[in-house]
Coordinates of all heavy atoms in Angstrom, one line a residue:
K445 N -10.9 13.0 -13.0 CA -11.5 14.1 -13.6 C -13.0 14.0 -14.0 O -13.5 12.9 -14.2 CB -10.7 14.4 -14.9 CG -9.4 15.2 -14.7 CD -8.9 15.7 -16.0 CE -9.8 16.8 -16.6 NZ -9.3 17.3 -17.8
A446 N -13.7 15.1 -14.1 CA -15.0 15.1 -14.5 C -15.1 14.8 -16.0 O -14.1 15.0 -16.7 CB -15.7 16.4 -14.2
P447 N -16.2 14.4 -16.5 CA -16.3 14.1 -18.0 C -16.1 15.4 -18.8 O -16.4 16.5 -18.4 CB -17.8 13.6 -18.1 CG -18.2 13.2 -16.8 CD -17.5 14.1 -15.8
E448 N -15.4 15.1 -19.9 CA -15.3 16.2 -20.9 C -15.7 15.7 -22.3 O -15.3 14.5 -22.6 CB -13.8 16.7 -21.0 CG -13.4 17.5 -19.8 CD -12.0 18.1 -20.0 OE1 -11.4 17.8 -21.1 OE2 -11.5 18.7 -19.1
R449 N -16.4 16.4 -23.0 CA -16.8 16.1 -24.4 C -16.0 16.9 -25.3 O -15.9 18.1 -25.2 CB -18.3 16.3 -24.6 CG -19.2 15.5 -23.6 CD -19.1 14.0 -23.9 NE -20.0 13.3 -23.1 CZ -20.1 12.0 -23.0 NH1 -19.3 11.3 -23.8 NH2 -20.9 11.4 -22.2
R450 N -15.3 16.2 -26.3 CA -14.5 17.0 -27.3 C -15.0 16.5 -28.6 O -14.9 15.4 -29.0 CB -13.1 16.7 -27.1 CG -12.5 17.1 -25.8 CD -11.0 17.0 -25.8 NE -10.5 17.4 -24.5 CZ -9.3 17.9 -24.2 NH1 -8.5 18.2 -25.2 NH2 -8.9 18.2 -23.0
E451 N -15.5 17.4 -29.4 CA -16.1 17.1 -30.7 C -15.4 18.0 -31.7 O -15.2 19.2 -31.5 CB -17.6 17.3 -30.8 CG -18.3 16.3 -29.8 CD -19.8 16.5 -29.9 OE1 -20.3 17.3 -30.7 OE2 -20.5 15.8 -29.2
D452 N -15.0 17.5 -32.8 CA -14.4 18.2 -33.9 C -15.0 17.9 -35.2 O -14.6 16.9 -35.8 CB -12.9 17.9 -33.9 CG -12.1 18.8 -34.9 OD1 -12.8 19.6 -35.6 OD2 -10.9 18.7 -34.9
D453 N -16.0 18.7 -35.7 CA -16.6 18.3 -36.9 C -16.4 19.4 -38.0 O -17.2 19.6 -38.9 CB -18.1 18.1 -36.7 CG -18.8 19.3 -36.0 OD1 -18.1 20.3 -35.8 OD2 -20.0 19.1 -35.6
N454 N -15.3 20.2 -37.8 CA -15.1 21.3 -38.7 C -14.2 20.9 -39.9 O -14.1 21.6 -40.9 CB -14.3 22.4 -38.0 CG -15.1 23.0 -36.9 OD1 -16.4 23.2 -37.0 ND2 -14.5 23.4 -35.8
D455 N -13.7 19.7 -39.8 CA -12.8 19.2 -40.9 C -13.5 18.1 -41.6 O -13.8 17.0 -41.1 CB -11.5 18.7 -40.3 CG -10.4 18.5 -41.4 OD1 -10.8 18.2 -42.5 OD2 -9.2 18.6 -41.1
S456 N -13.8 18.3 -42.9 CA -14.6 17.3 -43.6 C -13.8 16.1 -44.1 O -14.3 15.1 -44.4 CB -15.2 18.0 -44.8 OG -14.3 18.5 -45.7
S457 N -12.4 16.3 -44.2 CA -11.6 15.1 -44.7 C -11.5 14.1 -43.6 O -11.3 14.5 -42.4 CB -10.3 15.6 -45.1 OG -9.6 16.2 -44.1
S458 N -11.6 12.8 -43.9 CA -11.6 11.8 -42.8 C -11.0 10.5 -43.3 O -10.8 10.3 -44.5 CB -13.0 11.6 -42.3 OG -13.8 11.0 -43.3
N459 N -10.7 9.7 -42.4 CA -10.1 8.3 -42.6 C -11.1 7.3 -42.0 O -11.5 7.5 -40.9 CB -8.7 8.2 -42.0 CG -7.7 9.1 -42.7 OD1 -7.1 8.6 -43.7 ND2 -7.6 10.3 -42.3
S460 N -11.3 6.3 -42.7 CA -12.2 5.2 -42.2 C -11.4 4.2 -41.4 O -10.4 3.7 -41.9 CB -13.0 4.5 -43.3 OG -13.8 5.5 -44.0
V461 N -11.8 3.9 -40.2 CA -11.1 2.9 -39.4 C -12.2 1.9 -38.9 O -13.1 2.3 -38.2 CB -10.5 3.6 -38.2 CG1 -9.8 2.5 -37.4 CG2 -9.5 4.6 -38.6
P462 N -12.1 0.6 -39.3 CA -13.1 -0.3 -38.9 C -12.9 -0.6 -37.4 O -11.8 -0.7 -36.9 CB -12.6 -1.6 -39.7 CG -11.8 -1.2 -40.8 CD -11.1 0.1 -40.2
S463 N -14.1 -0.7 -36.7 CA -14.1 -1.0 -35.3 C -14.1 -2.5 -35.1 O -14.3 -3.2 -36.1 CB -15.3 -0.3 -34.6 OG -16.4 -1.0 -34.9
S464 N -14.0 -2.9 -33.9 CA -14.0 -4.4 -33.6 C -15.3 -5.0 -34.0 O -15.4 -6.2 -34.2 CB -13.7 -4.6 -32.1 OG -14.6 -4.0 -31.3
G465 N -16.4 -4.2 -34.0 CA -17.6 -4.8 -34.3 C -18.0 -4.8 -35.8 O -19.0 -5.2 -36.2
G466 N -17.0 -4.3 -36.6 CA -17.2 -4.3 -38.0 C -17.8 -3.0 -38.6 O -17.8 -2.8 -39.8
A467 N -18.2 -2.1 -37.7 CA -18.7 -0.8 -38.2 C -17.6 0.1 -38.6 O -16.4 -0.1 -38.2 CB -19.6 -0.1 -37.1
T468 N -17.8 1.1 -39.3 CA -16.7 2.0 -39.8 C -16.9 3.3 -39.0 O -18.0 3.9 -39.0 CB -16.8 2.2 -41.3 OG1 -16.6 1.0 -41.9 CG2 -15.7 3.2 -41.7
K469 N -15.8 3.8 -38.4 CA -15.8 5.0 -37.7 C -15.0 6.0 -38.5 O -14.0 5.7 -39.1 CB -15.1 4.9 -36.3 CG -15.8 3.9 -35.4 CD -17.2 4.4 -35.0 CE -17.9 3.5 -34.0 NZ -19.2 3.9 -33.6
K470 N -15.5 7.3 -38.6 CA -14.8 8.3 -39.3 C -13.9 9.2 -38.4 O -14.4 9.7 -37.4 CB -15.9 9.2 -40.0 CG -16.7 8.5 -41.1 CD -15.9 8.2 -42.3 CE -16.7 7.6 -43.4 NZ -16.0 7.3 -44.6
L471 N -12.7 9.3 -38.7 CA -11.8 10.1 -38.0 C -11.3 11.2 -38.9 O -10.8 11.0 -40.0 CB -10.5 9.3 -37.5 CG -10.8 8.2 -36.6 CD1 -9.4 7.6 -36.1 CD2 -11.5 8.6 -35.3
S472 N -11.5 12.5 -38.5 CA -11.0 13.6 -39.3 C -9.5 13.6 -39.4 O -8.8 13.1 -38.5 CB -11.6 14.9 -38.8 OG -10.9 15.2 -37.6
A473 N -9.0 14.2 -40.4 CA -7.5 14.3 -40.6 C -7.0 15.1 -39.4 O -5.9 14.7 -38.9 CB -7.2 15.0 -41.9
K474 N -7.7 16.1 -38.9 CA -7.2 16.9 -37.8 C -7.2 16.0 -36.5 O -6.3 16.1 -35.7 CB -8.1 18.1 -37.6 CG -7.6 19.0 -36.5 CD -8.5 20.3 -36.5 CE -8.0 21.2 -35.4 NZ -8.8 22.5 -35.3
M475 N -8.2 15.2 -36.4 CA -8.3 14.3 -35.2 C -7.2 13.3 -35.2 O -6.5 12.9 -34.2 CB -9.6 13.6 -35.1 CG -9.8 12.8 -33.8 SD -11.5 12.2 -33.7 CE -12.4 13.7 -33.3
L476 N -6.9 12.7 -36.4 CA -5.8 11.7 -36.5 C -4.5 12.4 -36.2 O -3.6 11.8 -35.5 CB -5.8 11.2 -38.0 CG -6.6 9.9 -38.2 CD1 -6.4 9.5 -39.7 CD2 -6.1 8.8 -37.3
E477 N -4.3 13.6 -36.6 CA -3.1 14.3 -36.3 C -2.9 14.5 -34.8 O -1.9 14.3 -34.2 CB -3.0 15.7 -37.0 CG -1.7 16.5 -36.8 CD -1.8 17.8 -37.5 OE1 -2.7 18.0 -38.3 OE2 -0.9 18.6 -37.2
S478 N -4.0 14.9 -34.1 CA -4.0 15.1 -32.7 C -3.8 13.7 -32.0 O -3.1 13.7 -31.0 CB -5.3 15.7 -32.2 OG -5.5 17.0 -32.7
L479 N -4.4 12.7 -32.6 CA -4.2 11.3 -32.0 C -2.7 10.9 -32.0 O -2.2 10.4 -31.1 CB -5.0 10.4 -32.8 CG -4.9 8.9 -32.5 CD1 -5.4 8.6 -31.1 CD2 -5.6 8.0 -33.5
M480 N -2.1 11.2 -33.1 CA -0.7 10.9 -33.2 C 0.2 11.7 -32.2 O 1.1 11.1 -31.6 CB -0.1 11.2 -34.7 CG -0.8 10.3 -35.8 SD -0.5 8.6 -35.6 CE -2.2 8.1 -35.0
E481 N -0.2 12.9 -32.0 CA 0.6 13.7 -31.1 C 0.4 13.3 -29.7 O 1.3 13.4 -28.8 CB 0.2 15.2 -31.2 CG 0.6 15.9 -32.5 CD 2.1 15.7 -32.8 OE1 2.9 16.0 -31.8 OE2 2.5 15.4 -33.9
S482 N -0.8 12.7 -29.4 CA -1.1 12.2 -28.0 C -0.5 10.9 -27.8 O -0.4 10.4 -26.6 CB -2.6 12.1 -27.8 OG -3.2 13.4 -27.8
N483 N 0.0 10.2 -28.8 CA 0.5 8.8 -28.7 C 1.8 8.7 -29.5 O 1.8 8.1 -30.6 CB -0.5 7.8 -29.2 CG -1.6 7.6 -28.2 OD1 -1.5 6.8 -27.3 ND2 -2.7 8.4 -28.4
P484 N 2.9 9.2 -28.9 CA 4.2 9.0 -29.6 C 4.6 7.6 -29.9 O 5.2 7.3 -30.9 CB 5.2 9.6 -28.6 CG 4.4 10.6 -27.8 CD 3.0 9.9 -27.7
A485 N 4.1 6.7 -29.1 CA 4.4 5.3 -29.4 C 3.8 4.8 -30.7 O 4.5 4.2 -31.5 CB 3.9 4.4 -28.3
L486 N 2.6 5.2 -30.9 CA 1.9 4.9 -32.2 C 2.5 5.7 -33.3 O 2.8 5.2 -34.4 CB 0.4 5.2 -32.0 CG -0.5 4.8 -33.2 CD1 -0.4 3.3 -33.6 CD2 -1.9 5.1 -32.9
K487 N 2.8 7.0 -33.1 CA 3.3 7.8 -34.1 C 4.6 7.4 -34.6 O 4.9 7.3 -35.8 CB 3.4 9.3 -33.6 CG 3.9 10.3 -34.6 CD 4.0 11.7 -34.0 CE 4.5 12.7 -35.0 NZ 4.6 14.0 -34.4
N488 N 5.5 7.0 -33.7 CA 6.9 6.5 -34.0 C 6.8 5.3 -34.9 O 7.6 5.1 -35.8 CB 7.7 6.3 -32.8 CG 8.1 7.6 -32.1 OD1 7.9 8.7 -32.7 ND2 8.5 7.5 -30.9
E489 N 5.9 4.3 -34.5 CA 5.9 3.1 -35.2 C 5.3 3.3 -36.6 O 5.9 2.8 -37.6 CB 5.0 2.0 -34.5 CG 5.1 0.7 -35.3 CD 4.3 -0.4 -34.6 OE1 3.6 -0.1 -33.6 OE2 4.4 -1.5 -35.0
L490 N 4.3 4.1 -36.7 CA 3.7 4.4 -38.1 C 4.7 5.1 -39.0 O 4.7 4.9 -40.2 CB 2.4 5.2 -37.9 CG 1.2 4.5 -37.2 CD1 0.1 5.4 -37.1 CD2 0.8 3.2 -38.0
A491 N 5.5 6.0 -38.4 CA 6.5 6.8 -39.2 C 7.5 5.8 -39.8 O 8.1 6.2 -40.8 CB 7.1 7.8 -38.3
S492 N 7.8 4.7 -39.2 CA 8.8 3.8 -39.7 C 8.2 2.8 -40.8 O 9.0 2.0 -41.3 CB 9.4 2.9 -38.5 OG 8.4 2.1 -38.0
M493 N 6.9 2.9 -41.0 CA 6.3 2.0 -42.0 C 6.0 2.8 -43.3 O 5.9 4.0 -43.3 CB 4.9 1.5 -41.4 CG 5.0 0.8 -40.1 SD 3.3 0.3 -39.6 CE 3.7 -0.4 -38.0
D494 N 5.9 2.0 -44.4 CA 5.4 2.6 -45.6 C 3.9 2.9 -45.4 O 3.2 2.4 -44.5 CB 5.6 1.7 -46.8 CG 5.0 0.4 -46.7 OD1 3.7 0.3 -46.7 OD2 5.7 -0.6 -46.5
K495 N 3.3 3.7 -46.3 CA 2.0 4.2 -46.1 C 0.9 3.1 -46.1 O 0.0 3.1 -45.3 CB 1.6 5.2 -47.2 CG 2.3 6.6 -47.0 CD 1.8 7.6 -48.1 CE 2.5 8.9 -47.8 NZ 2.0 9.9 -48.8
E496 N 1.2 2.1 -47.0 CA 0.2 1.0 -47.0 C 0.2 0.2 -45.7 O -0.8 -0.2 -45.2 CB 0.6 0.1 -48.2 CG -0.4 -1.1 -48.4 CD -0.1 -1.9 -49.6 OE1 0.8 -1.5 -50.4 OE2 -0.7 -3.0 -49.8
T497 N 1.4 -0.1 -45.2 CA 1.5 -0.9 -44.0 C 0.9 -0.1 -42.8 O 0.2 -0.6 -42.0 CB 3.0 -1.3 -43.6 OG1 3.5 -2.0 -44.7 CG2 3.1 -2.1 -42.4
A498 N 1.2 1.2 -42.8 CA 0.6 2.1 -41.7 C -0.9 2.1 -41.8 O -1.5 2.0 -40.7 CB 1.2 3.5 -41.9
A499 N -1.5 2.1 -43.0 CA -2.9 2.1 -43.1 C -3.5 0.8 -42.6 O -4.5 0.8 -41.9 CB -3.3 2.4 -44.5
K500 N -2.8 -0.3 -42.9 CA -3.3 -1.6 -42.5 C -3.2 -1.7 -41.0 O -4.1 -2.3 -40.3 CB -2.5 -2.7 -43.1 CG -2.8 -2.9 -44.6 CD -2.0 -4.1 -45.2 CE -2.4 -4.3 -46.7 NZ -1.5 -5.4 -47.2
T501 N -2.2 -1.2 -40.4 CA -2.0 -1.2 -38.9 C -3.1 -0.4 -38.2 O -3.7 -0.9 -37.3 CB -0.7 -0.6 -38.5 OG1 0.4 -1.4 -39.1 CG2 -0.5 -0.6 -37.0
L502 N -3.4 0.7 -38.7 CA -4.6 1.5 -38.2 C -5.9 0.8 -38.3 O -6.7 0.7 -37.4 CB -4.7 2.9 -38.9 CG -3.8 4.0 -38.4 CD1 -4.0 5.3 -39.2 CD2 -4.1 4.3 -36.9
A503 N -6.1 0.1 -39.5 CA -7.3 -0.6 -39.7 C -7.5 -1.8 -38.8 O -8.6 -2.2 -38.4 CB -7.4 -1.1 -41.1
N504 N -6.3 -2.4 -38.3 CA -6.4 -3.5 -37.5 C -6.6 -3.2 -36.0 O -6.8 -4.0 -35.2 CB -5.1 -4.4 -37.6 CG -5.1 -5.2 -38.8 OD1 -6.1 -5.5 -39.4 ND2 -3.9 -5.4 -39.4
M505 N -6.5 -1.9 -35.7 CA -6.7 -1.4 -34.3 C -8.1 -1.1 -34.1 O -8.8 -0.5 -34.9 CB -5.8 -0.2 -34.0 CG -4.3 -0.5 -34.0 SD -3.4 0.9 -33.5 CE -3.8 1.1 -31.8

Side-chain angles (χ1 to χ4, degrees):
K445 281 193 64 181
E448 288 185 1
R449 300 291 184 187
R450 299 190 181 209
E451 297 182 2
D452 185 358
D453 53 8
N454 297 322
D455 193 331
S456 59
S457 59
S458 63
N459 292 268
S460 298
V461 181
S463 72
S464 57
T468 298
K469 299 292 181 182
K470 295 289 185 179
L471 299 183
S472 69
K474 186 175 180 180
M475 185 175 289
L476 267 178
E477 182 180 351
S478 295
L479 174 65
M480 295 302 103
E481 291 304 316
S482 291
N483 285 273
L486 183 58
K487 182 180 180 180
N488 289 348
E489 184 176 10
L490 293 177
S492 67
M493 302 177 185
D494 59 67
K495 289 186 177 181
E496 184 177 350
T497 303
K500 288 181 179 178
T501 299
L502 274 177
N504 284 333
M505 293 184 69

